[in-house]
Amino acid sequence: MDVELQINNGATAATRFVSWAPSPCRIRVTNPSGATSPTVNVTIAGVSSASGGVVVFRAGATGAFANSLTLPVPTNGTTVPFFVAGRFGRPSVNNGDVKIEARVGATLVGSVPLMVRIRKNANALTAGERDRFVSAFAQLNNQGLGRFADFRNMHTNVSSPQAHGVPGFLPWHRAYLLDLERELQAIDPSVALPYWRFDQAAPRIFNRDFLGVSNSLGTVQFNATNPLQFWKTDGVQGINRRPFFPTTSAPPGVRTEPQTLALGTQYAAFQTMEGNPHGSAHTSFGGSISSIGTAAKDPLFFLLNCNVDRLWAKWQR
Amino acid sequence: MAPTRKAAKRSKQARKKSPKKSAKKSSSKRSVKAESPKVAARRAASTATDSKGTVKARVAAAALSPLAVCESDKDLQAMLKTLRNQDEPVKVRLAALQAMQAASFSVVAFESSRGDYIATLRAIADDPDPELRQRVLGILAREKDGYAQKKLIEGLKDPKKALVPPEKALQLLSYDVHADAYSAARDIVKKPPDEMARREALRLLAADATAAPMFEKLLRDKKELREVRQIAASALQALKPEKMQQHAREILLDKSDYDDIKATSLTALTQFGDQEAIGKDKALLKSVDRLSAGKASAKYRQSASRFLGKYSQ
């Protein structure tokens, strides 16, 4: 007997990504040989590598998640729905580092690899995660000739009245980041946009293997193995970023996460975070990131706003 | 006693402005929490622009004041006055500048103040303090401000008029490259005042199509600084990608070239290479294979492995 597991209701590799939120899935019998009844009880469970993601299951849209789930599946090929989610705190590191196995009794009847793909703290990425992200970003930009140019052109002084200083600030940037993330995932599906927690020291972001180290002039320098050495926007080579705080040992002096979340329960109060910490994080540097019209020239801009989006998501909960 | 009296006076003034909060003497933390972001920002702006306060307190307060600058013309003007005033401590003026810049991110609210802000920045572009000058010119350059661009070009042509070092002027001009800037950059490459200025001039010329032959030469010159060769590789990849791919291949086949330049070449080929051509290039694959197994640093060997993973099928 064989079963097919459809993640996000799809049977292709492109659908095999889950996050903390429940993903709708299906299971069906594709080869009923050996079946003796109209339905068969199939138990599904996650199998993870040592540092791999962990998944949990439930049968319906509500209810508690469990490490395994037994479903009566018709042998005539009709699909049975279930839900899968990443177990909070146990995301994947690599694509396919967790798999769902389906068993009838002790017999393995189906298996599918997947990834618990979530946005992570950029300062805590593994070298592999960091390199995949940087590589995808460099390819998306393709020295200013790639799809990234659209994103760079979207965030300018012209579009700014829609995106800044108005209630739409947070949703505008959320949609913008999500679009960018999807483009990165079209290049490498294992990549998610990481965030820069600007209220914590982030020495592993500001190094030559990741987003670079600024010299005294503010010109960002990279290792020879870092594809961001080929970064180019608006026809101009490189990234200008001059920090006004010690990037390897301390964060800039911006509102902390608890202070930001305590701004108020009304959206009108919370959205004042656009000034501090958001604006203050931008202006904790000189260089392109400190002005609206040029901020998107620096990849750090997307990590900064990813943290803003994370704070909003946390506040929404 | 004097500071205590001053502090008491300020506290009294603050209470007058916000009488409801004055009752909560028992817990200052609680009173801050109860305060709306706008009220807190206005209080911070007042502290930041009060010349009687300590530098530390004023700098800290300025960081909390961007919202007030957007909401209140009085606070905006006070902040601009602080920024313009050469008698104020530079740290306070820099903090005021940073607060103004953060406020400018609230485009709609800030729009009516933008004119005054830009006018103030132009007025202090030649401030005696070099750090303030540099930051102000940076903001103006990113706004593609014609006045700032003119000043930067003037300084490159005549060092006596320079407001910032040549390398900084070149970097700032790169936000909106004009023919004048190319011309100044070419002059600096020919006769560089120092190595940093030369590098920035090369970076700026990386957008100049006529500079491709120069970058080819720099890339292949083993006596050149590694950073210059790296700039040349990036410039060439953008200006003439097929030439860069060709040079990258030759550098990787050259046993006498340096590992870091080989790594840059490898990165260029891994990121932007022609999959079909490289996959068939046995000499290149063999050479990279040697690099992956050789004495190069772990990073370079890893880079070589990534290349082989992509092309060696």
Side-chain angles (χ1 to χ4, degrees), chain A residues 24-240:
Chain A
C25 302
R26 291 190 292 233
I27 183 170
R28 69 184 180 110
V29 172
T30 50
N31 171 15
S33 60
T36 54
S37 59
T39 62
V40 60
N41 283 334
V42 182
T43 300
I44 52 176
V47 178
S48 309
S49 61
S51 59
V54 175
V55 288
V56 286
F57 308 89
R58 72 184 180 199
T62 56
F65 281 100
N67 291 332
S68 65
L69 180 67
T70 300
L71 296 162
V73 184
T75 53
N76 65 5
T78 303
T79 59
V80 174
F82 67 97
F83 287 82
V84 63
R87 185 200 286 167
F88 189 72
R90 284 297 305 270
S92 289
V93 172
N94 294 301
N95 196 357
D97 65 11
V98 52
K99 60 184 173 179
I100 299 175
E101 287 186 349
R103 291 178 187 273
V104 174
T107 310
L108 185 68
V109 292
S111 168
V112 64
L114 69 159
M115 181 179 195
V116 181
R117 184 180 64 189
I118 55 123
R119 293 179 178 178
K120 293 183 178 179
N121 185 338
N123 195 51
L125 294 183
T126 65
E129 288 173 315
R130 176 200 67 202
D131 290 349
R132 292 199 303 267
F133 170 71
V134 160
S135 175
F137 218 143
Q139 284 179 58
L140 187 65
N141 186 33
N142 191 19
Q143 293 210 299
L145 302 172
R147 184 84 169 85
F148 177 74
D150 291 342
F151 290 90
R152 193 270 166 272
N153 292 333
M154 255 186 271
H155 194 279
T156 62
N157 287 340
V158 178
S159 61
S160 197
Q162 293 178 349
H164 299 99
V166 288
F169 162 70
L170 289 166
W172 191 97
H173 285 81
R174 174 166 289 179
Y176 178 61
L177 295 181
L178 190 58
D179 280 352
L180 177 94
E181 190 174 49
R182 284 173 178 159
E183 292 292 341
L184 292 171
Q185 287 166 351
I187 293 167
D188 183 341
S190 73
V191 164
L193 190 60
Y195 56 86
W196 169 39
R197 265 206 72 165
F198 36 62
D199 62 341
Q200 293 179 348
R204 298 182 67 207
I205 297 177
F206 299 105
N207 68 37
R208 286 170 187 261
D209 287 322
F210 200 171
L211 294 190
V213 173
S214 308
N215 68 11
S216 58
L217 197 61
T219 298
V220 179
Q221 298 174 312
F222 299 100
N223 271 336
T225 51
N226 189 333
L228 293 180
Q229 70 189 293
F230 292 98
W231 191 257
K232 193 172 181 183
T233 50
D234 305 350
V236 177
Q237 187 185 106
I239 298 165
N240 298 330

Side-chain angles (χ1 to χ4, degrees), chain A residues 160 219 229 235 242 283 290, chain B residues 98 101 107 131 200 207 230 271:
Chain A
S160 197
T219 298
Q229 70 189 293
R242 196 163 73 97
T283 58
S290 63
Chain B
Q98 206 169 334
Q101 188 61 0
V107 179
E131 177 64 22
E200 287 310 312
Q230 199 181 19
Q271 287 289 312

Side-chain angles (χ1 to χ4, degrees), chain A residues 252-274:
Chain A
V254 300
R255 267 198 187 106
T256 62
E257 180 171 315
Q259 287 169 338
T260 304
L261 295 176
L263 277 170
T265 53
Q266 296 299 307
Y267 184 77
F270 181 73
Q271 71 164 355
T272 61
M273 63 97 84
E274 183 181 359

Side-chain angles (χ1 to χ4, degrees), chain B residues 266-277:
Chain B
L266 205 53
T267 307
L269 290 177
T270 308
Q271 287 289 312
F272 311 112
D274 178 339
Q275 181 110 27
E276 206 183 330

